[in-house]
Amino acid sequence: MGGWVPDARGPFPGPRREQDLPRELRSFLREHGAPALLELHGPQPLHTSAYAARLARFARDAPSRWRSDPVWLAVGPTDVAAPERLLLRLLEQTLEENPPWGGPADGLPHFRAAGPERLPEALSALCHARLTRHRWTVVLDGVPDGEPGDELLLLAEQLVLNTEARVVAVSQRPHDGTGERWVRSAVAATAPDVPGKMLTHAALKLLIAVEPWEGDEFDATVAGALCADTRMTDRLRDAALRELTAHGLLQQTRPGWYRRTGSRFEHGGAAKDRALASAVLDGTADPRRGVDAYLDLAVRLLRRDDPEGPALLERLEPQLITQQGLFRLLRAKQTLWRATGEWKPLCVTAAVAIRETGAPQQALDALERLSAPRAVREIAVTLRHLGELPFAIGALDALEASEPGPRTAPDGWVLHTRAAIQCDQGRLKGADRLLRRAVEAHQVRGDVRGEAWAVHHYGRLRLLRGDVEEARKVLEDARNRFTGLGDLQGEAWTTTELGKAALVHDDFPAAVEMLSEAAGRHHANGDVRGRCWTELYLGIAHAVSGGLAEAVLKLDQACRGFSGVRDLLGRAWADHCLGALPAYTAADRLAAAAELDAALTGFRRAACPHGDAWTLLEQSTQRSYEGHATHVVRDQALRLFESIDDPSGARWGAGWEELGAGPGRIPLTARLTVPEPDADFEHATLSPATHARVRLTLLDDRSTAGTASRIMLRIQPGAEHAWSDRSSGLPWLTVRATPLTGADVEPAHAVTLRPSPRAADAAEFLFTPRRAGRHRLLFTVEHLETATVLQEVETYIDVVESDGEEPRSGHAPQALRRS
């Protein structure tokens, strides 16, 4: 049974069984024709709330015929000023407790960029529809006195009209409303039920810290930030929160969240707000868990035109632009509108949210109506999402040209967006310099989120260059940055790139696993475009590993998805991969040719010479297979490869006959890289079977501080590597593990082993970290006889705090297994 209600602060003096309730309350709980609204009023708000909680439990625990799940809504001053906030919380909670099959909240995302005045009426209809589909007991805890309370109760009555839902309103004085289906019940005063002992020093300090704060509610992390000047451990802070709640000085509003009871402190609130915002912006306070409170703080700062307001809003934006942030964004928008009469500071954020949840064209229309510099920058990003790369570059050019006079520092977002577009086009010359400048610009501004995205695009660049190991390190660094920021979208995109790295490395099981995880993340975020790119790479992974049916399915899904979000570049790559699949070229050459023609048109419109060249090369190979002269088309492809300094593509184009690359014979992974002009041509996309690789596996589920974890290392040669033939004499190698952070590794000496294509030949090391956090290990592989270093591999291991269990003893590692 769902539905949270607050726990009692102490012994409950009211009825303990439903049978002990007054007759009108029993009727309210059990009779479907009973009044729709019950107002509990009394001079002690905390005691009246506890009485309402007892009624909600009775309703939740009743037999199925009368059972009703509670929805607890704590009414704060901001909710009274903007009743839509309460309705949004009501809708959000009911959707979480009882998700619809396709349902009444489907139209809510369209209100991201709509005028705020349009939401109240639509929201009332959505809430009424939700309450119609399930039996709920809605508790409004803290209804204010006077006319604001009257209006709130009338709204609540309308919501449950002609439904089986009920409303329990908790107030201090009865309201003389005109509702037709109301019943009132007084809750008698009792002796104060608080502990007799004095507050501890920690509780007193916490109370002093939260008294001047103007927010409606806060969680433990916000409380810790508010009393940052007082040394207090998390355990001591949590104990202080429980103590203040037991004394009735705080009241729990939802799981883990509290509000100050009694009258508010009249002075110091603005200064407290600015101090808390500064703590978030300088990295002292972590806003991820308490994001609702920090978002309300940002709105208060925007109302007062404090300079920290826009900066804090930009810092919190990752929590607003995904599907998970829909209700937060709408609450902030309605609060700002009710307080100021407009919502201009949130317009760009709303447009970005529309773009990132699958409607870039709608976002572009909204952004073009705005004139702020950031809106112009987001127009360029949106055009990139649409695959309109030349227009995206033009927007960036126009933005830079519009800057009046000399700029003190470049815009890091403009720089890394330019680099991202170059990566999309395959024109990589100068992209690394742009990204270095972008990182520096973000660091100068203290823009940690912009820096994370610049690092992400640098990882993309290294992957395009074929430097898989460096790309993985950079992308993992970016993903950790995004995790620290609470940027779910950044995490999802970086996971996609890490799956692509496994694909370039020919580790197809790992690629499918990671790309499937990324697809799930994109789906949760509502990022249709992100899911489509992930499905494109999944299709390539299935194609190169022999799963042609799965490849066609994924590529078809990607095609449809790209068409839906109007991503021209993504659709061109999906068409290209379908046209290059052996399943297409063998079964229906005309269909394959049509796919390639469509891809060529898309690449040329997107100004993507990388895709253009590969499509021309694929067309030439297929036409040659049919006996047509193709040197003109192939020469066009070669010229394009040369224009973007792509030696890998040029070699495939010049030597496809010698390489036996008929239709579908060039691996699709060859399209995923544009190596450096002076790179070794034995690149993974050209001859992956000639490489021997170091494989590392953490054999335990997790690594904890003070506990030994087993790491297995094996050398796996490719099918065409000299070491893959077990009948020949395989060399003896040595492997040494060196901890680069606070950890111990056993054995401390080098371990001997021989390479093998089989997983059975492996070395094991015991890794014992001394602390939690990210640890680094360096593995050095040498040739035993000559002591020549063949490979150095650095890896990261994330270590969590010990759970208090005894460390595993761990057996001595097996240095070598011989057949």
Side-chain angles (χ1 to χ4, degrees), residues 21 93 105 159 299 333 361 560 605 685 741:
L21 291 173
Q93 283 196 44
L159 291 180
V299 172
K333 177 180 163 184
Q361 186 60 54
R560 292 193 298 272
R605 182 177 165 190
T685 59
T741 48

Side-chain angles (χ1 to χ4, degrees), residues 310-330:
L312 182 59
L313 177 63
E314 189 172 347
R315 172 65 178 82
L316 299 175
E317 189 170 86
Q319 308 278 0
L320 305 177
I321 60 176
T322 60
Q323 188 63 37
Q324 298 94 324
L326 170 64
F327 286 96
R328 290 193 189 107
L329 175 61
L330 293 178

Side-chain angles (χ1 to χ4, degrees), residues 91-365:
L91 188 59
E92 185 177 19
Q93 283 196 44
T94 58
L95 289 171
E96 288 177 356
E97 293 289 340
N98 188 252
W101 287 101
D106 285 350
L108 198 60
H110 298 298
F111 286 94
R112 284 188 175 102
E117 68 281 355
R118 295 175 51 193
L119 183 61
E121 183 178 353
L123 197 54
S124 296
L126 289 172
C127 288
H128 184 270
R130 284 298 295 160
L131 296 175
T132 301
R133 296 179 178 220
H134 191 78
R135 190 178 299 136
W136 305 93
T137 297
V138 181
V139 182
L140 299 177
D141 182 25
V143 175
D145 295 336
E147 185 178 348
D150 290 338
E151 293 178 356
L152 189 59
L153 294 180
L154 287 171
L155 173 62
E157 183 188 26
Q158 290 299 315
L159 291 180
V160 297
L161 192 65
N162 299 322
T163 75
E164 294 186 2
R166 312 289 172 80
V167 175
V168 177
V170 177
S171 61
Q172 194 163 355
R173 298 179 182 86
H175 290 78
D176 296 327
T178 58
E180 299 177 357
R181 301 179 61 204
W182 293 15
V183 62
R184 297 175 181 83
S185 179
V187 179
T190 63
D193 182 22
V194 297
K197 59 183 180 180
M198 300 287 289
L199 290 174
T200 63
H201 178 74
L204 186 59
K205 286 290 186 182
L206 184 58
L207 180 62
I208 293 172
V210 302
E211 270 189 331
W213 191 60
E214 296 182 354
D216 284 350
E217 57 178 354
F218 57 88
D219 74 338
T221 62
V222 176
L226 287 169
C227 59
D229 295 336
T230 303
R231 295 179 62 86
M232 189 181 300
T233 64
D234 291 350
R235 181 175 297 179
L236 198 60
R237 178 202 62 204
D238 293 343
L241 287 170
R242 290 193 298 271
E243 186 179 350
L244 292 173
T245 304
H247 278 79
L249 298 170
L250 296 181
Q251 185 176 13
Q252 199 170 14
T253 58
R254 50 186 167 126
W257 286 78
Y258 305 85
R259 70 176 171 189
R260 180 81 171 88
T261 60
S263 59
R264 289 174 175 265
F265 198 73
E266 295 184 359
H267 303 290
K272 199 76 174 180
D273 281 353
R274 285 193 294 271
L276 188 56
S278 298
V280 174
L281 295 174
D282 65 21
T284 307
D286 183 355
R288 286 177 294 175
R289 281 179 51 191
V291 63
D292 288 343
Y294 288 109
L295 183 58
D296 287 346
L297 167 61
V299 172
R300 291 198 301 277
L301 294 170
L302 291 169
R303 287 168 50 188
R304 292 195 289 257
D305 292 326
D306 278 328
E308 294 90 348
L312 182 59
L313 177 63
E314 189 172 347
R315 172 65 178 82
L316 299 175
E317 189 170 86
Q319 308 278 0
L320 305 177
I321 60 176
T322 60
Q323 188 63 37
Q324 298 94 324
L326 170 64
F327 286 96
R328 290 193 189 107
L329 175 61
L330 293 178
R331 280 197 296 268
K333 177 180 163 184
Q334 297 303 122
T335 305
L336 188 61
W337 171 63
R338 289 285 189 179
T340 66
E342 55 93 17
W343 63 288
K344 188 176 180 180
L346 283 165
C347 287
V348 174
T349 300
V352 171
I354 293 169
R355 180 187 70 209
E356 301 300 333
T357 49
Q361 186 60 54
Q362 184 184 350
L364 184 63
D365 295 340

Side-chain angles (χ1 to χ4, degrees), residues 76-104:
T78 309
D79 301 317
V80 176
E84 304 95 285
R85 287 173 55 95
L86 273 178
L87 298 186
L88 287 165
R89 285 163 52 199
L90 170 63
L91 188 59
E92 185 177 19
Q93 283 196 44
T94 58
L95 289 171
E96 288 177 356
E97 293 289 340
N98 188 252
W101 287 101

Side-chain angles (χ1 to χ4, degrees), residues 406-600:
R407 287 176 299 166
T408 56
D411 186 333
W413 289 89
V414 170
L415 292 172
H416 79 235
T417 302
R418 282 192 185 278
I421 293 171
Q422 287 189 220
C423 290
D424 295 338
Q425 293 175 316
R427 300 181 185 273
L428 305 186
K429 186 176 181 180
D432 52 351
R433 180 173 177 272
L434 282 173
L435 289 169
R436 285 195 298 271
R437 291 178 59 209
V439 169
E440 292 170 359
H442 289 307
Q443 289 173 343
V444 167
R445 283 192 58 202
D447 183 359
V448 290
R449 182 178 169 224
E451 185 180 355
W453 278 105
V455 171
H456 167 85
H457 288 302
Y458 183 69
R460 287 185 64 216
L461 175 63
R462 295 320 310 160
L463 184 55
L464 279 165
R465 286 303 194 188
D467 189 354
V468 178
E469 293 304 324
E470 179 65 17
R472 280 175 168 165
K473 293 175 188 177
V474 174
L475 290 168
E476 285 174 355
D477 179 27
R479 186 166 62 174
N480 287 329
R481 291 170 186 256
F482 287 131
T483 300
L485 292 168
D487 191 334
L488 300 176
Q489 200 176 30
E491 288 184 76
W493 277 100
T494 307
T495 304
T496 294
E497 291 297 319
L498 284 166
K500 182 181 170 186
L503 181 57
V504 171
H505 207 247
D506 291 339
D507 191 350
F508 303 124
V512 170
E513 179 181 359
M514 189 158 290
L515 290 169
S516 299
E517 177 193 343
R521 289 175 180 261
H522 287 303
H523 178 73
N525 294 341
D527 187 352
V528 181
R529 177 174 172 268
R531 192 176 73 244
C532 291
W533 278 99
T534 306
E535 287 172 344
L536 172 68
Y537 298 137
L538 274 169
I540 294 175
H542 287 302
V544 296
S545 59
L548 294 179
E550 294 89 345
V552 172
L553 176 64
K554 288 297 178 184
L555 292 174
D556 272 336
Q557 289 175 346
C559 268
R560 292 193 298 272
F562 284 132
S563 295
V565 296
R566 301 180 65 174
D567 184 341
L568 179 66
L569 184 64
R571 176 60 195 262
W573 275 114
D575 286 336
H576 172 93
C577 292
L578 278 171
L581 275 181
Y584 264 54
T585 57
D588 191 341
R589 298 191 187 282
L590 290 177
E595 298 282 2
L596 292 176
D597 288 341
L600 192 62

